[in-house]
Every structure is written in C-alpha cells, then in structure tokens.
Amino acid sequence: MSMFCYQCQETAKGTGCQIKGVCGKNEEVAKLQDLLIYTLKGISEIVVKGKLDVQSLGDINHEVLKSLFITITNANFDEEAIENQITKMMKIRDGLKNKISGMTFSEASNFQVFSRAEMLKKASEAGVLSMKDEDIRSLRELITYGIKGMAAYTHHALNLEKENLEIYKFIYEGLAATINDDLKVNDLVTLTLKTGELGVTAMALLDEANTSKYGNPEVTQVNIGVRNNPGILISGHDLTDLEQLLEQTKGTGVDVYTHSEMLPAHYYPAFKKYDHFVGNYGNAWWKQVGEFESFNGPILFTTNCIVPPKSEEVRNRIFTSGAAGYPGCTHIEKDSNGKKDFGPIIEMAKNLKAPTEIETGSIVGGFAHAQVMTLADKVVDAVKPGAIKKFFVMAGCDGRMKSREYYTAFAEKLRKNTVILTAGCAKYRYNKLPLGDIGGIPRVLDAGQCNDSYSLAVIALKLKEVFGLDDINQLPVAYNIAWYEQKAVIVLLALLHLGVKNIHLGPTLPAFLSPNVAKVLVDTFGIAGIDTVDSDVEMFMAQ
Ligand code: SF4
Ligand code: SF3
C-alpha cells in the first residue's frame, strides 16, 4: 500500500485514501505528513516522560502547533515545506532529549532520517495502519485529529498573542499517549473526552483573542457582488493576516474580498473601518476551482482549504501564508517582528482585471454569543409562545460530495417555526436561501467560522440559564452537524464535553471510528448519522 489516510469525511470509498487523496494529496505528501506527526509524538514523549516545564519550551510549543496545522486536510500540499518542518522538529526533538539523562524513549523519539527517500521509507513504518488493533488505532487517531483541530485554533490565538499552557500540556500528553502501548481502550476513551475539554479551552481562548482585538461580531449585511477595482481574495481562517492585508492595501486602489471561511471577518467592528473591504466572493472552499478563475485577481490562503488549482494561470495567482502551502505558489513568511509583507500580492492585483460578478445582493451574519445575548429578550419572547419551536445547530464544514445536497434540502424542508444556528463553511449550503425570518429574527443565524461553534455552545448554555433548565439537552435545540476535516472533530468532542447529547453527524460517520468505538459514542452520547431529509425532519421535530 502506497499511502493510507482516512482523516477526513471524503476519504476514498468511505474507508481510506490509498493511492492518492481525494483532496489531491499525493503519496509523498501523505507520508511526509505521517512522519511529521510521528516526530511530534516523539517530542511529546520526551516532554511528558522527562517532565519538562512546558512554559520554558516557548517557541517549541509554537512549532508543534504549526506542524500539527500543516497536516490538517487541505492546508499544505508542499512536500518541501513539510520535509523542512520534519528536519526542524527532529532537531528540536534531539535537543530536548539531550537535556534528559538516564531515560529510554521509543522509536518516535529516536529515529534518524537524512534524506527525502529515508523519510518516505520511515513514514511507511509510522503510518496509521502500523497499529494493528482497530479499536486502539481508532481512538489514537480520534485523539490525534482532535488535537490537530485544537492546534489550529490555538495557533490563531497565538497569532493574536494569546496562549494557554494547559493546552500545550495536553497536546504533549495526548500525543504521547498515542504511542504508549500500556494504554488500553478505556484509558484512551477517557483521553478522548479530555481532548474535548481542552477543545473548549482552545475555542474559548480564540474567541477571547478575536473579540478582545477586533470587537464582538455584530449583525452585518455582507455584499456578495463586486466593484470595478482590482481585488485580492483572502481565504482561510486567520484574522491577523486579514488585518495586515487590509492595512497594506489602504489607499492602493485594490479592494479586498473574503472567500469561504473568511466571510465572518466582516462581522467584526474592527474591520468595518476599511472602505476597500468590500464583500464576500463565492461560496465554500470546494467551489474555488471555478470561482478563482472568475475572480481574476490574486488569492491569499491563510489556512485550509486549498483545492489543487487546475491551471498554471490560477496557480500563479495563489499565495499562501502561515501553515498553508502549495508547490509552485509563493509563500509569505512573517519577519522577526511577526509582520508579513503582502506587497507582491498587491502589486500583482494592480495589474489584473477586477473580479467578474457571479452574484449580487447581500447575506446577513454576525450572530455570535454577545450579539445574540443582546437579542435574548426577543428570542425568549419568540420561544415561549412557540413562534420559534426549535433551533437547529447546523455548524460545521461543507464538502464537494453530492450527498451534501441533503443539507440544502433539510434547511428548505424545516418548518417555518424553526431557526438554524450555523458556523463554519457548512453555512453555504443554505445561507443564500430565502428562508425568511421570525418576528425579525432571521431563520439562519450565522455565528462565524467553525471555531465560532463555541459561540453556539455559549448561547445554548446561556439559554439554559434564562429558561431555568438543569440540563442543556432540555433546550429546544437539535444538532445536525456536517463535518469534513479535523477542526470539526475538535468541535464535536468539545460539544460532547459540554454535555450535548444526540448529535447527528453527516453526511457519513468518520471512517476512523471502528465499530466498537462508534458504539461507545452511540451508547454514551447518542451520536447518530443522518437518514433521508423527510424522515430526519420528522424525527427531529418529534423529539
Ligand atoms: Fe483522503 Fe481526506 Fe486524507 Fe485527503 S485528507 S488523503 S481526502 S482522507
Ligand atoms: Fe470549512 Fe475547510 Fe471545515 Fe473552518 S474551510 S470549516 S472545511
């Protein structure tokens, strides 16, 4: 077998990508990512066994976050960048090991590779299938993917100079546990739940980082049409990159548009002052292949989700930063002061055509926790007499598969007395439908990016208080979540930690859940898949 990856929802045949990733990841990239993760497991073992002071690790913590982020689906396809990161992390690992005497460590902490060929060979021994017991493998991967998502959110918070040592400590503990053969199924189940707990900590940290710097999201109409100036399209999740881009494009005659998960940036007060920040272009990540053609200008990927560009012309217009990367695309690194020079993107934009219009009008969003709480009275007044019968949390990811049409049909078929609470790129399946409002409350309330699923949990917890309930599950809230990549895994584990039960997950359950692990999730938390739209609408409304 040349490669094996089953970390995302679109994995080949619903079991695993073995020749090439459905995402476009080739064998080399897949293997190098496996080896990078393996190196991090070695580092974690050294930190945990050697009882190293996590605070004193400083930049090492940051490099661990970045390495994890690099391996998230659709973040980085650049073999060379991943190879360099492996070399860097091996050096860090060996430096840490030298601080400890009289201890033995496992292969992950000891292996040495000096060339790409050696890396690929080693990766074949270190991949997912190296663990033969399918339940242990399943739990180890579930924890690892949760940690990847956690690291991504923590990395964004770090860019805003917010950190929490507890998160780093857990990342080392969790990754070290995935190579500890003494841990049995029960130990790993406990650790899975702890992953969710720290997931909440990471999302809360990012929420605090974003809102303390950029203000609390507000209800905002976002233009989806275009102007006549040349434009730059910014995608991914990193708001600090957006801030720097907006500053550097001021007065240049170049407009800035958001794409996919960057759309919620428009909801933050701090970005409203830029009059060249004109709107959102296009839809969820997977539609970029056509949308980047018609955008005409350069595109900046701050994080996932990159789809391999089909033409040289489009590839030349793609730039990456942070953990993102694609071979042949210019990568913009920060300097020693943390600043990024987006000059080359701006220069390119000036010489290209303005975007071609693909839509007109606007969409509304900005319903994060602080904004919704200012509307709490209105919400309670609508719930009490039954004007709003039920809320549907439909946060998560979008994807390219036809089966995702379910979510559009589900939103359309929901009764008029229901409200959808959304976050993440899953929203694009229904955020442009004419679903109307209930007494001025739109029937789709978008809190923001996938990490803002945290906001939806905060809203649920506050409503529980307002209604004087003992249990979050007594609220008239149903969960029909669409997942794709590993950030959705940490969102799911975080919701489980908060006590949310009966979450429906689709369009398919993760391939990395073995039948026994899936059974634990079903029995303990009532996790379920999806069925047909009609039967699901009936089932949810009857609950
Ligand atoms: Fe396949 Fe998803 Fe892994 Fe890509 S990330 S190789 S599509 S399982
Ligand atoms: Fe979307 Fe990639 Fe997950 Fe942040 S942009 S939600 S899939």
Side-chain angles (χ1 to χ4, degrees):
M1 185 179 296
S2 48
M3 63 175 272
F4 184 83
C5 179
Y6 63 174
Q7 67 173 353
C8 84
Q9 190 273 327
E10 292 187 358
T11 194
K13 301 192 179 107
T15 52
C17 295
Q18 301 188 18
I19 299 161
K20 188 177 187 257
V22 173
C23 59
K25 182 160 94 175
N26 66 28
E27 180 188 343
E28 284 206 12
V29 172
K31 287 188 169 172
L32 292 171
Q33 289 185 351
D34 284 350
L35 193 65
L36 181 54
I37 291 292
Y38 191 55
T39 315
L40 301 180
K41 291 179 175 181
I43 290 174
S44 302
E45 181 188 41
I46 294 164
V47 171
V48 172
K49 271 199 190 171
K51 296 196 171 55
L52 297 182
D53 172 18
V54 172
Q55 182 155 23
S56 71
L57 298 182
D59 274 353
I60 295 177
N61 297 329
H62 308 162
E63 288 297 332
V64 167
L65 292 183
K66 184 175 175 192
S67 304
L68 285 160
F69 204 162
I70 281 175
T71 69
I72 278 188
T73 301
N74 293 341
N76 200 314
F77 295 81
D78 188 345
E79 290 100 336
E80 216 176 291
I82 306 168
E83 182 180 335
N84 290 340
Q85 193 68 13
I86 293 171
T87 306
K88 190 193 254 183
M89 298 317 283
M90 276 175 49
K91 219 182 252 162
I92 287 176
R93 182 199 65 182
D94 295 345
L96 290 176
K97 213 167 42 177
N98 286 340
K99 291 186 181 173
I100 300 162
S101 51
M103 256 184 198
T104 53
F105 296 103
S106 72
E107 178 64 6
S109 304
N110 287 317
F111 76 89
Q112 296 296 337
V113 283
F114 301 99
S115 65
R116 172 89 60 98
E118 286 179 9
M119 285 184 186
L120 295 174
K121 187 162 174 288
K122 186 73 209 168
S124 305
E125 298 161 27
V128 172
L129 297 179
S130 58
M131 169 38 67
K132 299 295 170 223
D133 181 307
E134 69 166 356
D135 297 327
I136 299 281
R137 183 199 308 147
S138 175
L139 287 161
R140 285 182 176 185
E141 294 307 313
L142 177 56
I143 293 165
T144 305
Y145 304 152
I147 287 177
K148 288 186 185 194
M150 184 189 303
Y153 294 151
T154 309
H155 194 262
H156 289 301
L158 173 67
N159 287 345
L160 288 159
E161 290 163 16
K162 297 273 187 221
E163 290 185 88
N164 181 331
L165 284 182
E166 294 309 312
I167 300 173
Y168 297 134
K169 277 187 203 155
F170 178 75
I171 289 176
Y172 293 121
E173 183 196 341
L175 289 178
T178 64
I179 50 168
N180 181 348
D181 291 333
D182 294 338
L183 299 181
K184 304 294 175 236
V185 165
N186 282 347
D187 304 311
L188 293 172
V189 168
T190 306
L191 207 60
T192 304
L193 297 184
K194 193 161 173 203
T195 311
E197 180 184 343
L198 272 294
V200 175
T201 309
M203 283 192 265
L205 180 74
L206 180 53
D207 183 78
E208 155 69 13
N210 283 337
T211 56
S212 60
K213 181 85 194 277
Y214 302 122
N216 275 304
E218 297 167 348
V219 179
T220 306
Q221 290 286 340
V222 181
N223 167 37
I224 57 172
V226 299
R227 303 203 302 195
N228 292 328
N229 303 324
I232 296 172
L233 191 58
I234 178 167
S235 195
H237 305 68
D238 198 88
L239 298 181
T240 57
D241 279 353
L242 172 69
E243 184 185 11
Q244 294 189 52
L245 182 65
L246 287 171
E247 276 299 314
Q248 292 175 35
T249 41
K250 250 189 332 198
T252 61
V254 173
D255 287 341
V256 175
Y257 294 82
T258 53
H259 184 259
S260 191
E261 272 287 72
M262 199 55 90
L263 155 68
H266 292 278
Y267 312 154
Y268 287 91
F271 300 126
K272 292 183 194 286
K273 63 173 184 266
Y274 299 99
D275 56 11
H276 64 295
F277 188 37
V278 296
N280 188 70
Y281 190 86
N283 295 279
W285 62 272
W286 62 278
K287 287 204 167 168
Q288 66 188 253
V289 178
E291 290 168 356
F292 287 1
E293 292 247 356
S294 60
F295 185 73
N296 304 326
I299 300 116
L300 171 61
F301 269 106
T302 65
T303 66
N304 56 325
C305 275
I306 302 174
V307 178
K310 293 259 182 295
S311 74
E312 187 77 12
E313 191 278 318
V314 171
R315 188 172 65 180
N316 288 336
R317 287 194 272 122
I318 295 180
F319 294 74
T320 58
S321 72
Y326 195 85
C329 296
T330 307
H331 185 77
I332 297 182
E333 257 315 321
K334 59 181 178 211
D335 64 18
S336 53
N337 299 318
K339 295 278 166 277
K340 292 179 185 170
D341 177 7
F342 293 129
I345 312 182
I346 301 166
E347 280 317 303
M348 180 185 276
K350 285 180 182 165
N351 294 309
L352 292 169
K353 281 194 300 188
T356 305
E357 190 158 86
I358 51 174
E359 291 171 301
T360 54
S362 66
I363 45 180
V364 67
F367 297 92
H369 57 84
Q371 176 69 87
V372 173
M373 282 311 120
T374 65
L375 303 170
D377 290 348
K378 217 170 168 183
V379 172
V380 172
D381 286 350
V383 172
K384 284 204 170 135
I388 296 179
K389 189 96 200 301
K390 201 158 237 173
F391 294 93
F392 284 83
V393 172
M394 291 177 72
C397 308
D398 197 10
R400 46 166 87 77
M401 300 298 174
K402 206 172 157 42
S403 52
R404 302 249 175 193
E405 288 171 6
Y406 164 95
Y407 294 101
T408 308
F410 184 85
E412 281 171 328
K413 287 243 168 118
L414 277 177
R415 314 276 150 79
K416 299 270 177 281
N417 57 4
T418 60
V419 169
I420 295 171
L421 304 174
T422 193
C425 64
K427 66 171 79 65
Y428 287 98
R429 288 283 169 178
Y430 39 79
N431 68 344
K432 294 171 186 173
L433 298 175
L435 296 179
D437 64 273
I438 300 174
I441 301 170
R443 288 195 53 232
V444 178
L445 301 180
D446 177 23
Q449 298 180 334
C450 47
N451 45 289
D452 296 308
S453 301
Y454 168 76
S455 233
L456 301 179
V458 171
I459 292 167
L461 289 168
K462 293 232 167 104
L463 286 178
K464 183 187 107 177
E465 253 171 57
V466 173
F467 288 107
L469 303 171
D470 311 322
D471 182 347
I472 197 169
N473 296 297
Q474 292 168 338
L475 283 167
V477 181
Y479 294 80
N480 194 4
I481 288 180
W483 81 285
Y484 171 59
E485 37 79 32
Q486 300 76 54
K487 294 186 215 175
V489 175
I490 195 60
V491 169
L492 173 73
L493 294 178
L495 289 174
L496 297 183
H497 169 73
L498 291 171
V500 176
K501 295 240 161 54
N502 303 323
I503 296 174
H504 288 251
L505 195 62
T508 53
L509 290 180
F512 55 80
L513 296 181
S514 68
N516 287 331
V517 171
K519 190 173 178 321
V520 171
L521 294 179
V522 171
D523 293 348
T524 321
F525 300 103
I527 297 260
I530 57 170
D531 197 343
T532 64
V533 171
D534 289 322
S535 60
D536 282 354
V537 170
E538 286 305 317
M539 174 271 300
F540 280 118
M541 292 311 289
Q543 271 176 6

